[in-house]
Amino acid sequence: MATGQKLMRAVRVFEFGGPEVLKLRSDIAVPIPKDHQVLIKVHACGVNPVETYIRSGTYSRKPLLPYTPGSDVAGVIEAVGDNASAFKKGDRVFTSSTISGGYAEYALAADHTVYKLPEKLDFKQGAAIGIPYFTAYRALIHSACVKAGESVLVHGASGGVGLAACQIARAYGLKILGTAGTEEGQKIVLQNGAHEVFNHREVNYIDKIKYVGEKGIDIIIEMLANVNLSKDLSLLSHGGRVIVVGSRGTIEINPRDTMAKESSIIGVTLFSSTKEEFQQYAAALQAGMEIGWLKPVIGSQYPLEKVAEAHENIIHGSGATGKMILLL
């Protein structure tokens, strides 16, 4: 290693597997920004379920080993590469993607994936914006093509993407029903834009939703399709659509359930968005920050040393309440 090269702590993955493959190292070279890149001193980094799928090697995108997970960091610009003139050292920023990985003291990012963080949001909140808000925006506006006055059920509304979906849907004039699995989760869902909330651990909660949305629900944002998709189809209105944001396995459905209602099942992944789409989403979300409807709710917080525990809990925990983050 070159003399004088600055070193940092970072989480490294040398082989795909369970949470135990996440190794905290303190001998990682701090990256140097090249053309159109910036280096960010990381204060907080969001933990997203997709990072556990990538780590286990079961996801469609496999990074080259070894790698550092994490895309949603918030912090301060440390250094700016050539032609990245939108930023200067000291700027408070957040990202929707990183080049070198976010579970680290410093992260390298392409300048078009970096956004100014308004003073009214702290770094923890900045680290909760990336994947959750951009995904929720894509699901509602791009994939579901929501119209003001429509009804939306956010199935699993108390986690990062769910709360983002509630806040965006409320700002866009929708009628929002949410579900959560704990009392605390239900309370937070109501505080963040939902008009009604249901406990998805109750045996008859689907009947209660049917009673409230008697014409059927126009849009369902689905976080756990392998459990809920069949029930979702029974809840839809004519022309209704289920937007599949998350799924952890297979499920049997009856395609006939889509016929009479002419309903749709639409998958969504943030990584399919073009650069232009990201800029469009960012403009809408930036407005949400300025106006005040975009307010990330922070859930459990972990130091970098406890990253394996964070990965264990985001999948096997007792129900999300707010956004999980790593603190640096």
Side-chain angles (χ1 to χ4, degrees), residues 224-230 246-253:
L224 198 59
N226 55 299
V227 173
N228 299 323
L229 188 56
S230 182
S247 187
R248 296 179 184 171
T250 58
I251 185 172
E252 186 173 308
I253 62 164

Side-chain angles (χ1 to χ4, degrees), residues 21-327:
V21 302
L22 297 160
K23 307 289 185 199
L24 181 57
R25 303 289 295 265
S26 51
D27 58 350
I28 305 300
V30 173
I32 294 161
K34 300 193 178 76
D35 207 29
H36 290 290
Q37 293 177 355
V38 296
L39 181 69
I40 299 163
K41 181 168 189 358
V42 179
H43 285 247
C45 180
V47 180
N48 296 288
V50 69
E51 287 140 28
T52 71
Y53 312 150
I54 294 169
R55 182 215 69 226
S56 68
T58 58
Y59 197 62
S60 51
R61 298 189 319 150
K62 278 197 182 69
L64 290 172
L65 296 168
Y67 78 98
T68 294
S71 60
D72 300 354
V73 306
V76 175
I77 298 278
E78 175 77 13
V80 176
D82 293 338
N83 301 309
S85 57
F87 299 100
K88 62 183 189 310
K89 187 175 159 81
D91 283 349
R92 298 171 83 251
V93 295
F94 70 95
T95 66
S96 57
S97 176
T98 66
I99 294 166
S100 61
Y103 296 8
E105 289 177 322
Y106 292 90
L108 195 63
D111 61 357
H112 67 89
T113 64
V114 180
Y115 314 92
K116 297 268 173 73
L117 182 65
E119 288 297 334
K120 61 170 84 164
L121 296 182
D122 63 25
F123 290 120
K124 294 180 206 175
Q125 290 173 307
I129 298 169
I131 284 180
Y133 280 86
F134 283 82
T135 300
Y137 190 89
R138 183 171 177 84
L140 285 163
I141 312 300
H142 173 276
S143 304
C145 304
V146 298
K147 297 183 191 74
E150 287 191 308
S151 58
V152 59
L153 168 65
V154 182
H155 217 156
S158 62
V161 181
L163 290 170
C166 289
Q167 292 176 2
I168 295 166
R170 190 63 186 253
Y172 280 76
L174 281 96
K175 177 170 190 208
I176 305 149
L177 312 178
T179 77
T182 64
E183 210 170 301
E184 188 195 359
Q186 290 176 70
K187 204 168 84 187
I188 284 179
V189 170
L190 283 174
Q191 287 165 350
N192 284 278
H195 295 89
E196 306 225 22
V197 69
F198 304 87
N199 183 343
H200 53 224
R201 299 214 165 127
E202 275 180 20
V203 182
N204 63 341
Y205 83 98
I206 292 290
D207 296 331
K208 289 185 178 175
I209 296 174
K210 277 184 181 158
Y211 181 73
V212 170
E214 58 220 289
K215 295 200 325 294
I217 310 284
D218 299 313
I219 300 112
I220 300 177
I221 304 294
E222 183 50 70
M223 310 300 167
L224 198 59
N226 55 299
V227 173
N228 299 323
L229 188 56
S230 182
K231 292 180 278 205
D232 288 342
L233 294 177
S234 74
L235 288 170
L236 287 175
S237 63
H238 192 275
R241 46 262 188 232
V242 180
I243 312 295
V244 179
V245 171
S247 187
R248 296 179 184 171
T250 58
I251 185 172
E252 186 173 308
I253 62 164
N254 184 347
R256 191 173 280 280
D257 292 343
T258 65
M259 291 163 63
K261 293 176 177 175
E262 299 193 318
S263 55
S264 321
I265 301 166
I266 302 168
V268 68
T269 174
L270 181 59
F271 304 120
S272 299
S273 311
T274 63
K275 200 165 156 180
E276 291 69 35
E277 284 169 342
F278 264 106
Q279 283 164 349
Q280 179 200 327
Y281 308 162
L285 297 173
Q286 211 86 44
M289 289 178 234
E290 288 161 18
I291 296 162
W293 58 253
L294 192 161
K295 265 205 154 98
V297 178
I298 304 307
S300 40
Q301 305 172 32
Y302 295 83
L304 217 44
E305 293 77 13
K306 296 213 166 142
V307 63
E309 199 181 310
H311 268 223
E312 180 66 33
N313 290 346
I314 200 164
I315 298 300
H316 301 294
S318 62
T321 310
K323 172 71 190 162
M324 183 185 284
I325 55 163
L326 295 172
L327 286 174

